[in-house]
Amino acid sequence: ALREFFRHPEDVARAHLSGGLGGKRVVIQGFGNVGSHLARFLQEEDDVRVIAIIEKDGAVVSEKGIVIAHLAEHIREHGTIKGFPDAHYVEDGHAMLELDCDILIPAAVEAQITMENADRIKAPLIAEAANGPVTYDADQYLRERGTVILPDIFMNAGGVTVSYFEWIKNL
């Protein structure tokens, strides 16, 4: 979905961005099945700079970019993002949704961007990889302010479709 978005310069310009995905500064909330794979693919295949990963136990932040393979290895070994040597640890991970970046990708749980924090969201492009991460009121507010939001129904439709087929096959 992000690759397709960046194939349309008029849409990219609406988000006050330019060019392709390469070099874009990205913040991802959630490092589970969706977030970890998304981070790896965006970094390795699209040359984005993942500047923050937000997890339930805090966040790791590095303006120069986080090497996703190194972070994944650290989590496998230690079970946490805490202590990751190549980035700054921030205990209040939720506040990192407000970090200055090009693309914010909430890929964890619903209702993470609400009217309580919407005015502090700096990303001009939000790609909803979780189900309903932006509340209705916050969505309206952000869109009126000029933020482009790629909705969850578009961003993660493939996962929902696969879940449906697993469900009907009783898997």
Side-chain angles (χ1 to χ4, degrees), residues 3-122:
R3 288 176 184 152
E4 183 62 26
F5 177 82
F6 277 93
R7 287 185 56 241
H8 300 274
E10 66 280 5
D11 292 331
V12 174
R14 259 186 341 110
H16 308 288
L17 297 170
S18 61
L21 267 170
K24 296 296 183 279
R25 297 165 50 250
V26 177
V27 171
I28 299 174
Q29 180 193 39
F31 203 65
N33 284 332
V34 175
S36 65
H37 289 91
L38 178 61
R40 185 171 53 89
F41 291 139
L42 287 174
Q43 185 173 76
E44 294 174 3
E45 297 178 10
D46 300 298
D47 197 31
V48 304
R49 186 165 29 129
V50 179
I51 62 168
I53 295 289
I54 304 166
E55 267 290 87
K56 59 186 171 291
D57 57 345
V60 288
V61 180
S62 173
E63 188 58 39
K64 68 179 182 174
I66 296 165
V67 178
I68 298 305
H70 295 171
L71 178 60
E73 182 63 28
H74 176 84
I75 292 171
R76 271 192 298 279
E77 288 178 11
H78 304 282
T80 180
I81 62 172
K82 289 180 185 178
F84 180 61
D86 300 332
H88 175 70
Y89 173 74
V90 177
E91 189 170 343
D92 183 7
H94 194 263
M96 295 300 96
L97 292 168
E98 303 164 16
L99 201 62
D100 184 25
C101 63
D102 299 312
I103 306 169
L104 174 60
I105 306 174
V109 295
E110 65 185 15
Q112 295 302 293
I113 300 172
T114 67
M115 286 307 292
E116 289 183 24
N117 63 353
D119 64 328
R120 295 186 304 274
I121 300 297
K122 295 175 186 71

